[in-house]
Amino acid sequence: MNKDTLYLIRHDFQDNGKTYYCPGCAELVGLLEFYPALKQHLEIRWVDFARPRPELVTLLGEENQSCPVLVLAFEPANLPAHLKVQHANGHAFVADAREIGEYLAHVHGIGLPH
């Protein structure tokens, strides 16, 4: 893995007979539209809503298959102490749209979430 990999849930998924989208994933899709150059620095993978999500389970374990999640190619030095980088199965990752946005701001120099 040379780039950080962003996992997002496909929109228009079905649950209990209704059609949904993931608000956190939509927030990050919007961030990628605000800062399109980020797409060159990230691998973006779309997963289905249904669990288990095999690729994430393999990487991070069953307990860490929520989306959005950013799996890091490597863990940068000098990240702010409050930024929540988690670890599982030998991988570092950032979960939650706002945390991912803050990570991307510090690593790629884009605006911070407010």
Side-chain angles (χ1 to χ4, degrees), residues 79-100:
L79 288 174
H82 68 275
L83 205 124
K84 298 176 192 163
V85 176
Q86 301 176 57
H87 299 87
N89 294 343
H91 297 283
F93 66 98
V94 179
D96 181 74
R98 293 290 166 100
E99 289 285 326
I100 294 168

Side-chain angles (χ1 to χ4, degrees), residues 10-109:
R10 291 180 181 87
H11 65 285
D12 290 340
F13 61 84
Q14 298 291 310
D15 191 27
N16 294 319
K18 294 182 182 178
T19 303
Y20 293 92
Y21 69 91
C22 168
C25 296
E27 181 176 333
L28 290 171
V29 169
L31 183 70
L32 293 171
E33 290 301 312
F34 283 172
Y35 300 103
L38 280 176
K39 295 175 190 176
Q40 298 171 13
H41 301 285
L42 301 173
E43 183 173 339
I44 300 167
R45 300 243 179 122
W46 294 91
V47 297
D48 292 327
F49 171 73
R51 290 181 183 222
R53 299 179 183 132
E55 189 172 353
L56 286 172
V57 170
T58 298
L59 284 173
L60 305 176
E62 191 170 343
E63 65 280 3
N64 296 308
Q65 60 180 309
S66 295
C67 287
V69 65
L70 182 68
V71 179
L72 309 182
F74 63 92
E75 190 171 348
N78 302 322
L79 288 174
H82 68 275
L83 205 124
K84 298 176 192 163
V85 176
Q86 301 176 57
H87 299 87
N89 294 343
H91 297 283
F93 66 98
V94 179
D96 181 74
R98 293 290 166 100
E99 289 285 326
I100 294 168
E102 187 164 341
Y103 172 87
L104 293 172
H106 286 286
V107 172
H108 297 287

